[in-house]
Amino acid sequence: MRHFSPTNGQMMAEQVSLATVAAEVGTPAYVYSAATFTRHYQVFAKAVSAMDSLIAYSVKANSNQAVLSLLAKLGSGADVVSGGELARALAAGISADKIIFSGVGKSAAEMRAGLEAGIAQFNIESMPELEQLNVIALDIGKIAPVAVRINPNVCAGTHEKISTGRAENKFGIDIADVDAVFERAVHMPGIHLQGIAMHIGSQIDNLAPFASAITLAAGLIERLRKQGHKIETFDIGGGLGISYAGGDTVPPTPREYGDLVRRLTQDLGVRMIFEPGRMIAGNAGVLLAKVLYVKHGGARNFLIIDAAMNDLIRPALYDAYHDIEPVKAPAAEAKMISYDVVGPICESGDTFTQHRMLPEMQAGDLIVLHTAGAYGAVQASQYNSRPLIPEVLVKDDQYAVVRKRPSMADILKTEHVPDWV
Ligand code: LLP
């Protein structure tokens, strides 16, 4: 559900006009809707409410402090993949006992930070990582709560760069090797092995890969129990796809997903952990931009906008589709034109879309790229020395800049020219 729709011919974020945000904050900017975040969290929570579960929002999707604080107040936990994300989750008021530390390469310092905070679980992805965690836990006199992330070798049917559950991916431990990890862990006094974890990919648009992976993991859990190991938690990661429109397949609803998970896990007697990211954040944000120039090239019409691939890299990196709409609703008789929508960066890859039919536009017109709330701002860079763009959170008829645009002076301050240059 989106809270971005037109009122009296002007696109709004809840009850705030995007034209007003553009005038007061400037473009490009990310604009988020608090109501959408809240609704998505609640829909997901309801879908899994019949299970004993923890929802650990995947911070990597959108890690703004205002967003994390909003989700913390709704009761969310956090799935973090770095010391930075851990610090963000704690600063936003997410209690440590709801924090899961995922990731294939946690450093010693990150393990120490997680142990000192008292997080709920480390998802480990290799034997050397488990050994290192044991050493650090013993060193500071703690016992690390751990789940083993398995690699179920299932094809999630998603873009290759966001598929994570096949044997050739770097993630997880082969199911056949997990028994040995549990055997070794019995002899590690700094480790309390409590569960199984997995995450098979992102933007998954059908339930079959989830069903296959859960079934495999359930078999493993039963096998481990027969060997005398206690399994208390089962973390199935994130990955539920969302609609980006543009004719893509309609992903399963959270309810269908929740029902499937419950059916396949109800006899296991485990606490379920979910790590949704995109499902919570994706449709809670838009990228607001302005048309700089309309250029009629030899073969194409280019809409050159002030946002670029450094602000939203998904189209360049994953050929991702984002719906594009003018902020001012077009007249009924508006001419439709085929545009390539591009940014100002000096690379042909700085293209948001090609051959998109849009109402005729002019320099100065505002547009939005929808479904930019997840993996938008968090993946931005300052390439071409374009400062990170502001993030704005709307709630009802009010808005706030929740991350401001740094000035060039702020950026230059972080760099240093040694006197021997
Ligand atoms: N848990 C783990 C261990 C993950 O690696 C991820 C995402 C999630 C949970 C959340 O998955 P979600 O529910 O959001 O699908 N930048 C890419 C997506 C990368 C996803 C990486 N891992 C994109 O823009 O499509």
Side-chain angles (χ1 to χ4, degrees):
M1 166 151 191
R2 290 169 173 173
H3 286 87
F4 301 95
S5 54
T7 304
N8 300 327
Q10 281 288 334
M11 170 92 64
M12 313 289 281
E14 303 189 26
Q15 294 146 43
V16 172
S17 145
L18 288 179
T20 306
V21 174
E24 294 177 4
V25 177
T27 57
Y30 280 103
V31 184
Y32 307 134
S33 152
T36 314
F37 274 109
T38 302
R39 183 177 149 74
H40 287 174
Y41 180 82
Q42 287 171 342
V43 164
F44 194 89
K46 185 155 181 241
V48 302
S49 61
M51 294 172 259
D52 173 21
S53 66
L54 167 68
I55 300 173
Y57 165 69
S58 193
V59 169
K60 64 172 79 64
N62 186 320
S63 58
N64 188 284
Q65 283 298 283
V67 168
L68 296 183
S69 301
L70 181 74
L71 293 171
K73 293 208 172 91
L74 295 169
S76 184
D79 153 50
V80 303
V81 290
S82 69
E85 285 191 354
L86 173 63
R88 281 181 175 279
L90 292 169
I94 296 177
S95 63
D97 61 0
K98 291 184 180 174
I99 296 180
I100 308 295
F101 206 139
S102 307
V104 70
K106 299 171 205 72
S107 70
E110 289 172 328
M111 290 174 175
R112 197 175 285 268
L115 284 166
E116 273 161 2
I119 64 167
Q121 184 167 291
F122 290 87
N123 292 348
I124 67 102
E125 303 207 19
S126 67
M127 190 69 101
E129 191 192 4
L130 185 66
E131 278 160 5
Q132 158 109 311
L133 184 58
N134 180 45
V135 169
I136 294 171
L138 291 177
D139 188 42
I140 60 174
K142 306 244 177 188
I143 297 179
V146 172
V148 174
R149 174 163 170 183
I150 58 165
N151 184 322
N153 194 18
V154 299
C155 177
T158 184
H159 190 283
E160 99 180 73
K161 289 201 174 101
I162 54 174
S163 185
T164 49
R166 287 171 305 182
E168 63 267 33
N169 298 133
K170 69 180 175 181
F171 300 98
I173 295 180
D174 194 297
I175 287 204
D177 299 332
V178 173
D179 310 63
V181 176
F182 270 79
E183 278 311 310
R184 284 276 284 283
V186 171
H187 308 290
M188 295 183 181
I191 299 293
H192 169 63
L193 213 41
Q194 63 185 21
I196 292 294
M198 64 185 199
H199 170 77
I200 56 173
S202 194
Q203 187 52 16
I204 299 172
D205 64 7
N206 74 93
L207 292 176
F210 290 114
S212 313
I214 293 169
T215 306
L216 280 168
L220 172 69
I221 290 172
E222 276 161 15
R223 189 170 88 213
L224 290 166
R225 282 188 173 148
K226 283 201 190 109
Q227 294 164 22
H229 302 295
K230 257 196 171 154
I231 309 292
E232 297 149 63
T233 62
F234 180 14
D235 179 345
I236 66 163
L240 183 59
I242 61 172
S243 175
Y244 282 81
D248 55 358
T249 38
V250 178
T253 62
R255 186 163 170 196
E256 289 163 337
Y257 169 83
D259 287 349
L260 173 93
V261 176
R262 186 167 49 96
R263 193 163 47 76
L264 296 177
T265 62
Q266 61 194 356
D267 298 330
L268 289 176
V270 284
R271 174 160 211 233
M272 296 301 299
I273 300 173
F274 298 93
E275 301 174 353
R278 189 189 311 266
M279 190 269 141
I280 307 281
N283 275 313
V286 296
L287 173 57
L288 176 62
K290 190 169 72 189
V291 176
L292 294 175
Y293 303 105
V294 182
K295 171 167 156 175
H296 299 290
R300 308 271 177 101
N301 300 307
F302 294 101
L303 215 53
I304 304 169
I305 64 173
D306 61 358
M309 66 190 285
N310 71 301
D311 305 311
L312 177 66
I313 204 173
R314 303 195 66 258
L317 199 54
Y318 320 111
D319 299 313
Y321 179 100
H322 287 264
D323 238 4
I324 299 178
E325 240 187 310
V327 166
K328 185 163 171 260
E333 67 281 5
K335 215 160 101 188
M336 297 299 282
I337 310 252
S338 168
Y339 286 116
D340 284 14
V341 181
V342 302
I345 281 185
C346 308
E347 288 198 31
S348 297
D350 185 20
T351 296
F352 291 109
T353 184
Q354 295 181 312
H355 307 297
R356 184 78 61 91
M357 291 305 288
L358 292 169
E360 185 166 22
M361 292 207 218
Q362 293 171 3
D365 285 351
L366 295 169
I367 62 167
V368 292
L369 286 92
H370 281 289
T371 323
Y375 306 112
V378 284
Q379 289 190 263
S381 76
Q382 305 202 125
Y383 185 38
N384 277 205
S385 286
R386 294 166 50 87
L388 291 180
I389 64 174
E391 294 172 81
V392 171
L393 181 67
V394 172
K395 181 171 189 280
D396 305 324
D397 59 356
Q398 53 185 333
Y399 78 83
V401 175
V402 293
R403 184 177 70 186
K404 68 176 183 114
R405 187 194 309 268
S407 67
M408 263 328 287
D410 292 335
I411 293 169
L412 289 175
K413 252 195 318 218
T414 65
E415 297 178 25
H416 168 65
V417 182
D419 54 14
W420 39 261
V421 163

